[in-house]
């Protein structure tokens, strides 16, 4: 036996959760809130708004609702991602012809959703990065004439404010596509290639959707949903009565809480597993470092021995060079002595010859007398 139960949807941030019936936009103290059926009456003062414009605004409303509280895409299920992709695919049909020629392109844009969440922040979007640097906001700033700045704001360990930036220049390719060349990183590198090709899929005053066109053929494109910083989009849904029959309309609050606990437990288990993996890697790297240090010490000892041997060899060479110089000096002295002796011998020979001649002469003079 079924029983009808009147349910009042709980409020979150002033909004009631239920079937969509009201969409509100807040911008700097202004508030635009209308029911879907009268949405166009407020902005245009007409009830006969064109069907295409109406469908565009419906798509924007559905996209904002689908990407609400998505944590840049990390908190969206597979079915939710498919829904968002379908909405973006249809919404791009309503993009203006020359979005790069519109002044709406300039300003500070916050990443509301990324089809590849890890690309909106690089290493900061990894499990460890989100654990150490929670409270992240990904901002893209486009300024005249051609400046583009990617910025990640965070709170280190949850309470120390910080940010990193990546600065580059913009070069239009056509009316919808431009190339960004990043040249400067302030703080830790945000990752990603230095050059990126971006295609504008949709643009208006407060919403921008851009596709990152891969420069390599083997990579899938991703897209980003930006909202202009400072404008809060709050989806308001009117309170309505619904019948719950055997709890078939959706999970109860208890079931939602259990699902949340399961997700939290899974996240903790993932963090624990990642921590264990990192600890193992650190231990492995420490052992490698110790082994490398030991090898380095051995090499240093061998080098020191080689240096000592080289010093000894140098001393021996210097000593041998000294001995060689001494021998050369002695040889030179001997050669000089030899020359002197030869001169002395020649002198003695001349003296001897002279004496011999004198003897012969004397004999000749004494010869008759002797006879």
């Amino acid at each position: 036996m079924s029983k009808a139960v009147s349910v009042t949807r709980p409020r979150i941030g002033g909004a009631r959760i239920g079937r969509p019936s009201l969409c509100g936009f807040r911008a700097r103290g202004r508030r635009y809130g209308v029911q879907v059926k009268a949405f166009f009456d407020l902005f245009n003062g007409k009830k006969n708004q064109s069907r295409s414009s109406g469908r565009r605004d419906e798509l924007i409303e559905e996209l904002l609702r689908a990407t609400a509280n998505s944590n840049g895409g990390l908190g969206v299920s597979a079915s939710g991602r498919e829904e968002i992709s379908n909405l973006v695919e249809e919404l791009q049909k309503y993009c203006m012809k020359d979005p790069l020629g519109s002044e709406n392109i300039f300003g500070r844009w916050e990443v509301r959703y990324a089809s590849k969440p890890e690309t909106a922040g690089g290493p900061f979007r990894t499990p460890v990065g989100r654990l150490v640097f929670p409270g992240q906001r990904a901002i893209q700033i486009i300024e005249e004439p051609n400046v583009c700045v990617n910025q990640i704001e965070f709170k280190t360990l949850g309470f120390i404010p910080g940010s990193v930036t990546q600065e580059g220049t913009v070069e239009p390719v056509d009316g919808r596509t431009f190339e960004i060349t990043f040249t400067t990183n302030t703080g830790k590198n945000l990752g990603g290639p230095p050059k990126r090709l971006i295609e504008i899929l949709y643009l208006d005053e407060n919403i921008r959707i851009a596709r990152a066109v891969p420069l390599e053929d083997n990579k899938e494109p991703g897209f980003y949903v930006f909202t202009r910083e400072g404008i809060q989009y709050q989806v308001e849904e009117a309170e309505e009565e619904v019948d719950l029959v055997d709890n078939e309309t959706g999970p109860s609050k208890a079931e939602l809480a259990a699902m949340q606990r399961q997700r939290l437990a899974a996240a903790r288990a993932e963090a624990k597993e990642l921590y264990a993996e990192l600890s193992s890697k650190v231990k492995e790297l420490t052992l490698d470092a110790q082994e490398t240090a030991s090898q380095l010490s051995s090499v240093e000892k061998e080098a020191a021995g080689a240096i000592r041997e080289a010093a000894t060899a140098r001393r021996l060479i210097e000593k041998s060079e000294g001995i060689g110089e001494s021998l050369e000096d002695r040889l030179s002295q001997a050669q000089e002595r030899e020359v002197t002796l030869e001169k002395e011998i020649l002198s003695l020979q001349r003296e001897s010859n002279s004496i011999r001649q004198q003897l012969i002469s004397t004999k000749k003079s004494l010869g008759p007398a002797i006879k």
Side-chain angles (χ1 to χ4, degrees):
M1 178 178 179
S2 62
K3 187 175 182 180
V5 179
S6 176
V7 177
T8 301
R9 303 290 184 182
R11 288 182 178 271
I12 297 181
R16 294 184 182 275
I17 299 177
R19 295 179 182 173
S21 61
L22 203 68
C23 178
F25 300 90
R26 300 189 179 200
R28 298 180 182 177
R30 297 178 299 169
R31 172 170 178 149
Y32 306 91
V34 295
Q35 292 185 358
V36 173
K37 66 180 181 179
F39 186 84
F40 311 119
D41 295 348
L42 179 63
F43 286 90
N44 302 304
K46 298 180 181 180
K47 292 185 178 181
N48 59 347
Q49 183 63 265
S50 67
R51 182 175 299 177
S52 61
S53 177
R55 180 54 183 161
R56 178 199 62 193
D57 293 326
E58 289 176 0
L59 290 170
I60 292 175
E61 178 185 349
E62 292 175 14
L63 181 63
L64 292 174
R65 182 179 296 108
T67 56
N69 302 318
S70 69
N71 191 17
L74 290 170
V76 180
S77 63
S79 60
R81 294 181 184 279
E82 184 178 1
E83 177 189 2
I84 294 171
S85 296
N86 293 336
L87 291 170
V88 169
E89 183 177 0
E90 185 175 355
L91 184 59
Q92 64 180 314
K93 300 176 184 177
Y94 301 96
C95 182
M96 62 180 69
K97 292 183 179 180
D98 185 17
L100 292 183
S102 172
E103 292 184 356
N104 289 338
I105 195 71
F106 299 109
R108 292 176 60 92
W109 298 90
E110 182 173 359
V111 177
R112 184 180 179 92
Y113 172 84
S115 62
K116 297 180 179 180
E118 68 281 358
T119 62
F124 290 89
R125 299 297 282 174
T126 63
V128 174
R130 299 196 304 271
L131 185 65
V132 179
F133 305 100
Q136 297 178 15
R137 293 176 66 237
I139 307 294
Q140 186 174 80
I141 306 166
I142 302 180
E143 298 177 340
E144 296 186 79
N146 64 338
V147 178
C148 180
V149 179
N150 286 345
Q151 184 178 67
I152 299 295
E153 299 177 353
F154 51 81
K155 292 185 178 180
T156 306
L157 302 178
F159 61 91
I160 303 176
S163 66
V164 293
T165 59
Q166 188 179 50
E167 300 180 6
T169 56
V170 173
E171 183 68 27
V173 177
D174 53 40
R176 297 173 63 101
T177 310
F178 61 91
E179 184 181 69
I180 307 176
T181 303
F182 289 105
T183 56
T184 305
N185 287 289
T186 303
K188 190 173 182 180
N189 196 326
L190 292 179
K195 286 191 176 183
R196 303 170 198 180
L197 196 63
I198 306 297
E199 179 186 4
I200 301 298
L201 302 181
Y202 180 81
L203 177 68
D204 63 25
E205 183 180 356
N206 299 318
I207 296 176
R208 176 166 63 96
I209 304 175
R211 174 190 289 131
V213 181
L215 300 177
E216 301 176 8
D217 295 336
N218 59 345
K219 290 189 177 182
E220 292 291 330
F223 65 87
Y224 303 85
V225 178
F226 296 88
T227 54
R228 193 174 296 277
E229 189 182 40
I231 297 181
Q232 297 179 355
Y233 297 90
Q234 183 178 8
V235 179
E236 295 188 357
E237 300 173 349
E239 178 181 350
E240 61 182 34
E241 300 293 328
V242 296
D243 291 334
L244 299 181
V245 180
D246 296 332
N247 198 30
E248 293 180 353
T249 59
S252 65
K253 290 191 290 185
E255 290 173 334
L256 289 173
M259 292 170 60
Q260 183 67 20
R261 287 194 295 270
Q262 290 176 355
R263 286 195 293 267
L264 182 60
R268 287 176 176 172
E270 181 183 359
K272 186 176 181 180
E273 181 180 353
L274 181 61
Y275 178 78
E277 181 180 350
L278 290 175
S279 299
S280 176
K281 189 65 176 178
V282 168
K283 185 177 180 180
E284 180 181 348
L285 291 174
T286 302
L287 292 175
D288 291 343
Q290 291 175 349
E291 183 179 356
T292 302
S294 176
Q295 294 176 354
L296 180 60
S297 177
S298 177
V299 170
E300 288 177 345
K301 290 179 180 178
E302 292 179 1
I307 291 172
R308 288 193 297 270
E309 291 178 358
T312 302
R314 181 178 293 277
R315 287 194 297 270
L316 291 174
I317 290 172
E318 291 176 352
K319 186 176 181 180
S320 63
E321 289 177 350
I323 293 173
E325 291 176 356
S326 177
L327 290 175
E328 288 180 356
D329 291 341
R330 291 182 181 182
L331 178 60
S332 178
Q333 292 174 2
Q335 289 175 344
E336 291 176 356
R337 181 61 177 166
E338 182 180 1
V339 172
T340 302
L341 290 174
E342 287 178 351
K343 290 180 179 180
E344 290 179 354
I345 290 171
L346 288 173
S347 177
L348 290 173
Q349 286 177 346
R350 283 194 296 270
E351 290 179 1
S352 175
N353 289 334
S354 178
I355 294 171
R356 186 179 293 113
Q357 290 295 330
Q358 289 177 4
L359 287 174
I360 292 171
S361 178
T362 301
K363 285 180 179 181
K364 287 180 177 181
S365 61
L366 296 175
I370 294 173
K371 291 179 178 181

